[in-house]
Amino acid sequence: MRTYTVAILSDIHYAGPAEQARGKHYELKGIANFLTRALASFFRHFIWLRDPLHKAHLLDQFLEQATDFDYVIANGDYSCNSAFVGLSDDAACQSARLCLDKLRQRFGARLRANYGDHELGKFTMFGGRGGMRLASWRRTREDLGLAPFWQIEIGRYVLMGFVSSLVALPVFEAEMLPAERPEWERLREEHLGEIRRAFAALQPGQRVLLFCHDPTALPFLWREEVVRARVPQIEQTVIGHLHSNLVLWKSRLLAGMPPIRFLGHTVERLSTALSEARQWRPFHVRLCPALAGIELLKDGGYLTAELDPEGRQPARFRFHRLHRP
């Protein structure tokens, strides 16, 4: 029996014309404190991503390299979220639509797309602006047609994708509008119900490849009894969000360390997630880097996984680097 090839890309951060028009310093404009602004500028310029609004060519580069993949998994963050409220912002919605249209035109029914935090909205790392918006959830579902939970069966393999921001919703309490919190909680319980049913339906011989944008969700998933009972069947969990394997490596070093509480909510939330990295271990986490990687290393690219549908050997993952000038 032939093997199947699955391509995985994450954190595309495509910027359409409306987001590009905001200029590369869009994140700094709302930071009043000079020292915080200087720190954010240094972090963005030298470590994270120097000009996030002009990386759309990397998606085109991926599409040029794409061969006859059996499936393609996009693991979230299709826009630059430059207004920080997800796809409720018209410019970000335009970017995400352009990005997904390109993927759908190329791969059609072979594409599965996860939600990232850029789809729903998030606080800025420096400044604490923005947050999750129900209007972004509705647009992602209705306008872009993304399913919150999806599943593919390839022989003995079951591929599953879910919305990490919903599963980890308690962490994002400060980022929700108070009036919207009850509806977010209802959506979370509905989504957890889908996940529970899928794990309960697994057969003993099946292997799971789990796709999750933000690993912050994994400790919450571990609390679900039906998931915990079937964790031995999870061969790999492919995450995004961290952009670089350097960040994943550092998160494992920081596992168990107390969170940083003096640089604002977003940094505290990130450090809390990293300190809980030891709870990721049962899920066998593998990072799919951002297409652009990080500025420090320029280590972006995508993954492919070769699957033997008979399960005679584990999935074979390979990293493909994309060129950045």
Side-chain angles (χ1 to χ4, degrees):
M1 185 177 290
R2 73 177 183 90
T3 59
Y4 285 71
T5 303
V6 179
I8 307 145
L9 68 163
S10 190
D11 298 87
I12 301 167
H13 299 309
Y14 193 96
E19 284 205 289
Q20 288 181 22
R22 287 175 171 153
K24 65 180 180 180
H25 299 302
Y26 67 91
E27 188 176 16
L28 304 180
K29 292 174 183 176
I31 303 175
N33 182 278
F34 171 77
L35 291 177
T36 304
R37 192 164 61 250
L39 177 62
S41 180
F42 176 86
F43 177 78
R44 172 68 68 185
H45 194 80
F46 294 103
I47 297 174
W48 197 244
L49 207 56
R50 183 172 300 169
D51 191 2
L53 297 179
H54 293 90
K55 297 291 187 288
H57 64 281
L58 294 171
L59 176 59
D60 294 328
Q61 195 180 137
F62 165 76
L63 293 172
E64 288 170 7
Q65 293 185 15
T67 55
D68 295 327
F69 301 134
D70 294 290
Y71 291 99
V72 174
I73 312 298
N75 209 17
D77 279 9
Y78 308 108
S79 79
C80 286
N81 188 34
S82 54
F84 319 115
V85 290
L87 302 192
S88 61
D89 169 51
D90 289 339
C93 192
Q94 177 199 65
S95 298
R97 183 178 288 110
L98 289 168
C99 175
L100 288 165
D101 281 351
K102 287 192 172 195
L103 290 167
R104 285 167 169 157
Q105 286 166 12
R106 182 62 186 273
F107 303 112
R110 293 175 290 160
L111 176 71
R112 298 294 184 278
N114 259 0
Y115 286 55
D117 47 358
H118 278 212
E119 279 64 74
L120 300 181
K122 59 184 289 188
F123 273 180
T124 56
M125 182 169 290
F126 302 93
R129 293 180 295 142
M132 296 175 68
R133 298 292 184 268
L134 281 174
S136 296
W137 170 265
R138 288 191 288 270
R139 269 191 159 176
T140 307
R141 286 215 67 179
E142 297 166 12
D143 294 3
L144 299 187
L146 296 195
F149 181 83
W150 54 264
Q151 185 169 313
I152 304 169
E153 292 193 17
I154 302 174
R156 292 188 179 181
Y157 276 98
V158 181
L159 284 59
M160 298 182 190
F162 66 91
V163 183
S164 56
S165 295
L166 274 188
V167 173
L169 192 66
V171 173
F172 301 102
E173 183 174 357
E175 305 190 26
M176 293 180 276
L177 298 175
E180 293 186 350
R181 188 173 299 128
E183 179 63 9
W184 279 120
E185 290 172 350
R186 186 194 69 78
L187 289 167
R188 178 179 190 259
E189 189 54 38
E190 182 179 276
H191 192 49
L192 284 172
E194 291 181 291
I195 295 169
R196 291 178 192 124
R197 288 190 291 275
F199 273 88
L202 287 173
Q203 299 302 307
Q206 290 182 308
R207 298 180 181 181
V208 176
L209 295 182
L210 198 58
F211 294 86
C212 161
H213 177 75
D214 182 352
T216 305
L218 297 179
F220 292 93
L221 208 58
W222 178 253
R223 297 174 192 176
E224 297 294 323
E225 183 179 351
V226 67
V227 175
R228 223 171 32 249
R230 288 162 176 79
V231 155
Q233 291 179 251
I234 299 176
E235 187 175 298
Q236 296 270 286
T237 298
V238 181
I239 64 168
H241 190 61
L242 302 182
H243 279 223
S244 169
N245 277 302
L246 175 64
V247 182
L248 179 61
W249 173 67
K250 285 291 185 182
S251 72
R252 286 168 170 156
L253 290 180
L254 291 171
M257 297 289 287
I260 298 169
R261 301 189 184 278
F262 56 86
L263 288 177
H265 168 75
T266 304
V267 174
E268 179 182 337
R269 174 167 58 76
L270 177 62
S271 66
T272 299
L274 296 181
S275 73
E276 294 179 348
R278 64 186 182 278
Q279 297 181 44
W280 306 350
R281 290 169 188 159
F283 292 92
H284 306 293
V285 166
R286 177 184 294 270
L287 176 70
C288 178
L291 282 189
I294 59 173
E295 203 65 43
L296 184 66
L297 301 177
K298 293 181 172 58
D299 54 348
Y302 64 97
L303 300 178
T304 54
E306 297 288 334
L307 306 183
D308 172 8
E310 293 296 315
R312 291 166 295 196
Q313 58 185 357
R316 292 177 293 179
F317 285 84
R318 181 185 171 198
F319 173 67
H320 305 262
R321 185 180 292 275
L322 290 179
H323 173 67
R324 277 187 58 189

